[in-house]
């Protein structure tokens, strides 16, 4: 299948199994799941092309810090041959978290063992993404390629169309393209539901400019828990704070939350030491809707296509999203590498295992999300963390 319409001299590389069977793999989306998949495939001698809508790795901020779980995110990095590099970049001290009420009274304070990697050490999302990008051949990721359509080809495989009209073909298409996945529509017409509103701000150079806030948040995470609302902050490795405001789903226009004044009104009566996290933001608040797929979503399968990460199982952001995306990538890569001559069988096996694994995690994520934004959230969260002292603050 030709690639003449793909610009910049880029072509789909062809991967060969041990029996010489070719398999051209396209990954839509260059987030953590897509890059982990490409890296582990590369470790097995199978090349793939990652199509990413962003213009470059530095085109936009990548968000906050992640706690990588030993049984999922860390396992995937080990299979990618990157465990050592992860340990050199991760911050075990970032596991520290404190939960307070609107008066500033401490409800929970978890302090990890200094220097220990036995739990769920934090790593900035941007640092982790760079680690994965640097582990891949330079031409693996094709930037400025936003997939807009995928159509089956008469002789098998897919024709991919990108924004601007560029086209190419592949044998296997893997959707790692997030919450609003284009690839997902090839497998299911599932509808997303609106579960919360998240508003984000950032505070730069916090130790020098706002030492009181630096002390308040500490090296990890702070949660200020009220009635149906949470004001949170987390420390990043560059000396900044990422502030996140979580609110219950409502019918107010999203633009309502683009004003600091409006947000301060939402937290009226709270201790000023806490609301200073809003006042000190260096830019206008950035709100977005948090959506989720129905629990138990699955599909019957289709030749040459599958999904990983949020494209496959979008859940509330309570600490599992990135971890499960990376584990999806590791499991799918392992199946494809084990049976390159029959990718459809590999995909079916991966999907069956993934559906079973994700179901209880999606149920748990929904329960935690509801608990976090309930009228009794402070009591419920205190009980939750006291019963699970090793559980870190969600940081997805």
């Amino acid at each position: 299948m030709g690639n003449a319409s793909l610009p910049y001299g880029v072509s789909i590389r062809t991967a060969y199994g041990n029996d010489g069977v070719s398999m051209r793999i396209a990954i839509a989306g260059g987030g953590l799941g897509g890059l982990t998949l490409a890296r582990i495939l590369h470790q097995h001698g199978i090349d793939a092309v990652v199509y990413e809508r962003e213009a470059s790795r530095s085109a936009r901020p990548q968000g906050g810090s992640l706690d990588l779980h030993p049984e999922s995110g860390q396992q995937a990095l080990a299979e990618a041959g990157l465990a050592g590099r992860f340990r050199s970049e991760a911050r075990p001290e970032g596991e520290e978290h404190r939960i307070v009420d609107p008066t500033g009274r401490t409800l929970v304070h978890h302090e990890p063992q200094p220097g220990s990697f036995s739990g769920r050490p934090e790593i900035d999302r941007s640092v982790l993404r760079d680690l994965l990008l640097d582990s891949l051949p330079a031409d693996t990721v094709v930037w400025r390629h936003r997939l807009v359509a995928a159509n089956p080809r008469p002789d098998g495989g897919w024709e991919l169309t990108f924004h601007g009209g560029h086209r190419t073909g592949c044998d296997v298409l893997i959707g790692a393209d997030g919450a609003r996945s284009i690839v997902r529509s090839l497998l299911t017409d599932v509808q997303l539901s609106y579960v919360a509103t998240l508003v984000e701000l950032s505070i730069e150079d916090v130790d020098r400019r706002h030492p009181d806030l630096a002390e308040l948040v500490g090296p990890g995470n702070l949660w200020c828990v009220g009635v149906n609302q949470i004001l949170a902050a987390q420390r990043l490795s560059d000396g900044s704070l990422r502030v996140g405001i979580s609110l219950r789903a409502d019918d107010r226009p999203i633009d309502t939350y683009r004003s600091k004044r409006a947000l301060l009104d939402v937290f009226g009566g709270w201790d000023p030491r806490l609301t200073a996290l809003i006042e000190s933001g260096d830019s206008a608040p950035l709100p977005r809707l948090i959506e989720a797929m129905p629990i138990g979503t699955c599909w019957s399968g289709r030749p040459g296509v599958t999904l990983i990460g949020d494209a496959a199982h979008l859940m509330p952001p309570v600490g599992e999203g990135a971890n499960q995306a990376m584990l999806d990538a590791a499991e799918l890569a392992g199946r494809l590498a084990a049976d390159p001559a029959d990718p459809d069988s590999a995909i079916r096996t991966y999907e069956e295992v993934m559906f079973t694994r994700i179901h209880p995690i999606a149920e748990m994520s929904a329960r935690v999300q509801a608990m976090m934004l309930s009228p009794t959230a402070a009591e419920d969260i205190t009980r939750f963390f006291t019963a699970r002292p090793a559980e870190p603050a969600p940081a997805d």
Side-chain angles (χ1 to χ4, degrees):
M1 302 176 192
N3 305 294
S5 60
L6 194 66
Y8 318 129
V10 174
S11 63
I12 288 267
R13 287 189 296 271
T14 301
Y16 291 92
N18 293 332
D19 56 1
V21 176
S22 65
M23 177 172 55
R24 295 174 304 164
I25 299 175
I27 301 169
L32 299 179
L35 295 176
T36 301
L37 176 60
R39 167 62 184 182
I40 299 178
L41 288 173
H42 180 68
Q43 288 286 93
H44 288 287
I46 299 174
D47 285 334
V49 176
V50 178
Y51 294 102
E52 170 54 46
R53 64 186 300 169
E54 294 174 13
S56 69
R57 69 167 71 194
S58 59
R60 68 171 180 87
Q62 293 298 309
S65 182
L66 301 166
D67 57 318
L68 284 198
H69 305 180
E71 73 282 2
S72 50
Q74 290 188 50
Q75 178 182 322
L77 286 179
E79 293 186 29
L82 298 173
R85 292 192 60 189
F86 165 71
R87 289 172 66 91
S88 71
E89 298 285 358
R91 295 178 290 110
E93 70 277 8
E95 275 197 85
E96 180 173 343
H97 73 272
R98 194 153 63 96
I99 302 173
V100 304
D101 68 14
T103 71
R105 179 173 63 97
T106 298
L107 304 174
V108 175
H109 188 190
H110 168 68
E111 294 183 272
Q113 183 178 349
S116 172
F117 282 84
S118 62
R120 299 173 171 182
E122 298 274 333
I123 185 169
D124 290 8
R125 184 180 288 266
S126 60
V127 171
L128 180 55
R129 192 189 194 207
D130 281 347
L131 186 157
L132 288 163
L133 283 167
D134 291 343
S135 75
L136 292 167
D139 59 347
T140 299
V141 178
V142 183
W143 303 98
R144 299 180 187 270
H145 275 62
R146 175 166 63 88
L147 184 68
V148 296
N151 295 294
R153 301 181 69 139
D155 54 349
W158 300 90
E159 181 176 87
L160 310 181
T161 304
F162 300 93
H163 178 71
H166 307 304
R167 293 186 303 278
T168 192
C170 68
D171 299 308
V172 175
L173 171 62
I174 299 161
D177 48 344
R180 297 286 177 172
S181 171
I182 293 296
V183 182
R184 185 195 297 138
S185 63
L186 302 174
L187 295 167
T188 175
D189 59 359
V190 65
Q191 299 297 305
L192 306 183
S193 59
Y194 166 39
V195 297
T197 297
L198 176 65
V199 188
E200 295 177 299
L201 306 95
S202 62
I203 304 173
E204 306 298 324
D205 195 11
V206 67
D207 292 296
R208 183 181 65 83
R209 297 174 57 226
H210 301 283
D212 49 340
L213 294 181
E215 182 178 0
L216 175 70
V217 176
N221 291 267
L222 171 73
W223 281 12
C224 316
V225 183
V227 175
N228 305 332
Q229 59 197 61
I230 291 180
L231 171 60
Q234 61 177 188
R235 170 78 69 132
L236 301 188
S237 61
D238 64 0
S240 68
L241 291 182
R242 177 178 178 251
V243 179
I245 296 162
S246 297
L247 305 169
R248 293 183 81 173
D250 60 37
D251 57 2
R252 281 178 283 187
I254 192 72
D255 287 344
T256 302
Y257 302 111
R258 297 189 186 277
S259 158
K260 285 186 185 180
R261 182 70 263 161
L263 291 173
L264 290 169
D265 288 344
V266 169
F267 292 91
W270 284 40
D271 189 316
R273 292 176 300 165
L274 305 180
T275 55
L277 290 165
I278 299 173
E279 292 180 298
S280 302
D282 289 318
S283 58
L286 180 62
R288 59 189 174 96
L289 303 182
I290 300 300
E291 297 175 306
M293 291 167 62
I295 295 170
T297 295
C298 57
W299 50 88
S300 59
R302 190 172 181 181
V305 61
T306 193
L307 306 170
I308 65 172
D310 286 350
H313 43 69
L314 181 64
M315 297 178 281
V318 297
E320 287 289 352
N323 282 285
Q324 295 304 314
M326 295 172 71
L327 185 57
D328 289 348
E331 292 183 349
L332 177 57
R335 301 290 181 185
L336 290 169
D339 195 3
D342 191 355
D344 290 333
S345 176
I347 286 171
R348 284 194 302 272
T349 303
Y350 152 74
E351 289 176 343
E352 290 170 2
V353 173
M354 181 267 289
F355 292 148
T356 301
R357 166 171 51 85
I358 287 297
H359 193 276
I361 293 172
E363 288 184 325
M364 178 276 295
S365 297
R367 286 197 305 271
V368 171
Q369 176 70 32
M371 176 185 69
M372 287 165 50
L373 297 180
S374 73
T376 58
E379 296 87 347
D380 295 342
I381 290 174
T382 299
R383 187 163 51 249
F384 179 83
F385 280 98
T386 302
R388 298 167 175 79
E391 186 79 16
D396 189 359

